[in-house]
Amino acid sequence: ITAWIFDNGKLFTAGKGVDGHLGDNVDRGGNEVESRTPVQISTGITNWANVFGGKGDHVFAITEDGHLYNWGTSIEGIVGNGTQNQNLRVPTRVGTDTDWAKVAMSGEHAVGLKTDGTIYCTGNGGNGATGQGNESNISTWAQVGTDTDWCHITAGTQMCGALKTNGKMYRWGNGNNGRSGNGNNVSASVPTQVGTDTDWYDMAASTVGWVAIKVNGTAYAWGANVQGQLGINNVLDTSVPTQIGSLDT
């Protein structure tokens, strides 16, 4: 699914349309019917601010006034509205909060950042991916810890990552194949700092690994590397952030 917002605040989608993925309220049944041209999401809302999709069969979007909406397939409670498996064919508001800033997701769980610097998770808790100190699935958004200084979030398969305003980097969830970033393969069910550095600027999760950038522009990667996807000039898994090339490359 591809989704984008125009300057006038209108929201459009294109791609696979099964189970309400496009959000246009068209019942396509179980057929893999697609839209190869943009489809406007006509819900009367014209103040969309951000849209988040591309992983799994669902989309999140936030309006300019901080309302959170979702549509598509709700696997393992990822919608966050109290249901486990429900297909939503139109954007459906999640809760009543008006302070959502960003959402990141994998196929079965999601992490959200609010304007007050708090983070929340919902969905599949396998390997501790929802940051609740356990591996239980949850179908409503639950706060991760109590800290209020988070500034960036990302999500991969059964894992999440986040940065704090002080430049520290954290992750939780699946730690296999070095994904922990701390020299081991240990999964974590609560946010766990990666190393001790305080100059991280950005991070992103994939299916089996991570990439992160420091404030000086250097890039690092860690996790599974069987096909050389980490870009560190070998095919060995690495369990600590390892620099990709040099600063001038």
Side-chain angles (χ1 to χ4, degrees), residues 210-245:
W210 302 88
V211 62
I213 299 173
K214 290 195 170 187
V215 293
N216 66 359
T218 53
Y220 293 74
W222 66 101
N225 193 36
V226 65
Q227 294 177 319
Q229 61 265 44
L230 296 183
I232 56 176
N233 199 32
N234 61 52
V235 291
L236 303 175
D237 296 349
T238 179
S239 60
V240 295
T242 301
Q243 188 170 344
I244 302 171

Side-chain angles (χ1 to χ4, degrees), residues 117-247:
T118 56
I119 51 176
Y120 291 74
C121 278
T122 187
N124 189 310
N127 284 299
T130 57
Q132 301 301 305
N134 55 53
E135 296 188 24
S136 299
N137 298 345
I138 52 177
S139 59
T140 57
W141 289 91
Q143 188 172 352
V144 178
T146 59
D147 293 348
T148 60
D149 56 347
W150 301 103
C151 62
H152 175 75
I153 53 174
T154 183
T157 302
Q158 291 195 334
M159 59 187 186
C160 290
L163 298 179
K164 288 196 169 187
T165 55
N166 59 10
K168 293 181 179 180
M169 179 167 61
Y170 291 76
R171 45 71 55 178
W172 59 98
N174 196 337
N176 293 338
N177 301 105
R179 276 168 272 190
S180 75
N182 283 313
N184 55 51
N185 299 316
V186 178
S187 298
S189 59
V190 295
T192 303
Q193 188 174 353
V194 178
T196 59
D197 292 350
T198 59
D199 57 347
W200 295 106
Y201 174 75
D202 198 3
M203 69 182 302
S206 70
T207 303
V208 293
W210 302 88
V211 62
I213 299 173
K214 290 195 170 187
V215 293
N216 66 359
T218 53
Y220 293 74
W222 66 101
N225 193 36
V226 65
Q227 294 177 319
Q229 61 265 44
L230 296 183
I232 56 176
N233 199 32
N234 61 52
V235 291
L236 303 175
D237 296 349
T238 179
S239 60
V240 295
T242 301
Q243 188 170 344
I244 302 171
S246 58
L247 185 59

